[in-house]
Amino acid sequence: MATFGYLCPLILMCILVSSNAQLQQNFYAKSCPKAEKIILDYVHKHIPNAPSLAAALIRMHFHDCFVRGCDASVLLNFTSSTGNQTEKFGIPNLTLRGFSFIDNVKKIIEDECPGVVSCADIVALVARDSVVVTGGPSWSVPTGRRDGRISNASETLTDIPAPTSNFSTLQNDFAKKGLDLKDLVLLSGAHTIGVSHCSSFSTRLYNFTGTFGTEDPSLDSEYAANLKANKCKSINDNTTIVEMDPGSFRTFDLSYYKLLLKRRGLFQSDAALTTSTTTKSYIDQLVAGSLKEFYAEFAQSMEKMGRIEVKTGSDGEIRKHCAVVNS
């Protein structure tokens, strides 16, 4: 990341300048003018046939940005310093999907403009375009990110917010990345699409206090009983998938927040959003408002997330293949 502290009369200005340095709309307008259209066309062609990938790709973008910033470090298979213990193989990322989708987009872009468009920008653009194609909100994606060369599996455990997190942990995890409580509520709204494995929340059903048979009292008992009877029939189930927003998991809407108010959020981290008066107030406002208002606010938080610790200018590199650093 470029830093220009000595030019800034105010610390706040320094932070704003350095974090947004050289990200701009249509960064590739001259160097690869067709890039964003090529990406959008590929998404339009393939995502309607596999709409569940939209949730997987926005999750990949989120997990990438929370570890070392939005630098595509989540895509690396191997680095000289960490070997094959890269972020991709960290516990929070073992259920990530969409890597081959990104690789396919990168190949087409490389054929058009070799060595110009970063994998980090491709992840950011694909995440946005996939959500739009499936009927969800759009948001601005300024480009110019560069790809990182470091990727460490251990950092995924310290930096990626866990589904078992309580409110204070979530607040700290987001604050470390320059995101506030409103961003926490809005970005959690992406749980309106997609699915989860039972292993991400089965402790709430079977072993909440550390004693087998105890259930999370913050989870609606009828919903818990339904999950145990029909979905996660054992605490050891690692394969069954469950809709995060039952009945509406393909639609980017407000029903996720409505379920939170009924104590039917799937994760502890979902339920935690109702334990703070501040975040509960944001949820109430969203539910009382329109879908258009939610989309507009979600867009602001997504653009903010897409700027986390970006590498620009001469930092990082433009990878030739997204899974390996340049030799």
Side-chain angles (χ1 to χ4, degrees):
M1 182 192 301
T3 54
F4 307 110
Y6 56 89
L7 296 177
C8 301
L10 296 172
I11 291 174
L12 178 61
M13 281 182 65
C14 296
I15 293 168
L16 290 174
V17 171
S18 64
S19 65
N20 295 344
Q22 300 167 49
L23 278 195
Q24 61 189 67
Q25 291 301 128
N26 301 311
F27 179 83
Y28 302 107
K30 292 182 179 177
S31 58
C32 191
K34 295 180 184 176
E36 294 194 23
K37 178 72 161 51
I38 289 170
I39 293 169
L40 180 60
D41 287 348
Y42 189 87
V43 167
H44 266 285
K45 183 177 180 180
H46 294 282
I47 289 293
N49 301 325
S52 67
L53 259 183
L57 290 163
I58 197 172
R59 181 174 179 237
M60 177 189 286
H61 183 31
F62 181 93
H63 282 215
D64 180 39
C65 290
F66 265 71
V67 184
R68 293 187 172 271
C70 312
D71 69 346
S73 51
V74 73
L75 304 179
L76 290 169
N77 286 339
F78 181 92
T79 69
S80 57
S81 59
T82 56
N84 60 3
Q85 291 302 303
T86 56
E87 289 171 36
K88 185 186 284 191
F89 303 104
I91 290 170
N93 290 335
L94 293 178
T95 52
L96 282 185
R97 295 189 302 129
F99 294 106
S100 61
F101 192 95
I102 299 296
D103 287 339
N104 291 339
V105 173
K106 176 65 170 172
K107 184 177 186 306
I108 297 168
I109 291 288
E110 284 295 299
D111 288 344
E112 175 73 16
C113 310
V116 173
V117 180
S118 69
C119 299
D121 278 340
I122 290 173
V123 170
L125 289 163
V126 163
R128 191 268 312 274
D129 293 347
S130 299
V131 170
V132 172
V133 165
T134 52
S138 183
W139 59 90
S140 174
V141 181
T143 43
R145 297 166 189 80
R146 288 170 65 85
D147 299 323
R149 298 176 59 86
I150 299 170
S151 185
N152 192 329
S154 65
E155 293 177 350
T156 63
L157 292 169
T158 54
D159 289 354
I160 296 173
T164 53
S165 297
N166 61 22
F167 174 75
S168 61
T169 301
L170 289 170
Q171 183 177 23
N172 290 335
D173 286 346
F174 274 66
K176 281 191 301 185
K177 302 301 172 183
L179 301 171
D180 59 27
L181 292 180
K182 193 169 190 179
D183 299 317
L184 167 59
V185 171
L186 288 162
L187 293 173
S188 296
H191 288 174
T192 184
I193 56 172
V195 295
S196 169
H197 289 82
C198 291
S199 53
S200 293
F201 59 89
S202 56
T203 299
R204 298 187 79 195
L205 302 175
Y206 292 104
N207 192 31
F208 188 65
T209 63
T211 302
F212 187 77
T214 54
E215 197 174 282
D216 183 351
S218 71
L219 184 64
D220 175 71
S221 58
E222 188 179 323
Y223 182 41
N226 181 282
L227 286 169
K228 287 196 279 192
N230 300 308
K231 294 288 185 180
C232 309
K233 298 178 182 179
S234 156
I235 193 171
N236 299 315
D237 185 337
N238 293 315
T239 55
T240 302
I241 56 174
V242 179
E243 299 168 9
M244 291 191 285
D245 185 358
S248 176
F249 79 110
R250 291 196 191 281
T251 309
F252 213 105
D253 56 21
L254 288 162
S255 66
Y256 163 77
Y257 296 113
K258 294 173 183 175
L259 289 172
L260 292 188
L261 298 178
K262 295 177 181 176
R263 299 192 300 122
R264 293 190 169 204
L266 198 57
F267 305 137
Q268 279 172 256
S269 58
D270 293 325
L273 300 180
T274 64
T275 63
S276 149
T277 54
T278 305
T279 50
K280 170 73 161 50
S281 173
Y282 287 141
I283 293 167
D284 289 335
Q285 290 171 36
L286 287 165
V287 168
S290 68
L291 190 61
K292 185 178 179 182
E293 289 167 332
F294 168 44
Y295 279 13
E297 295 205 67
F298 180 81
Q300 289 182 338
S301 289
M302 281 302 302
E303 183 177 348
K304 193 172 171 183
M305 186 192 84
R307 292 180 179 275
I308 295 174
E309 299 167 23
V310 292
K311 294 168 179 65
T312 59
S314 59
D315 286 352
E317 64 182 16
I318 305 297
R319 277 183 226 144
K320 295 183 180 70
H321 301 280
C322 290
V324 290
V325 297
N326 295 340
S327 55

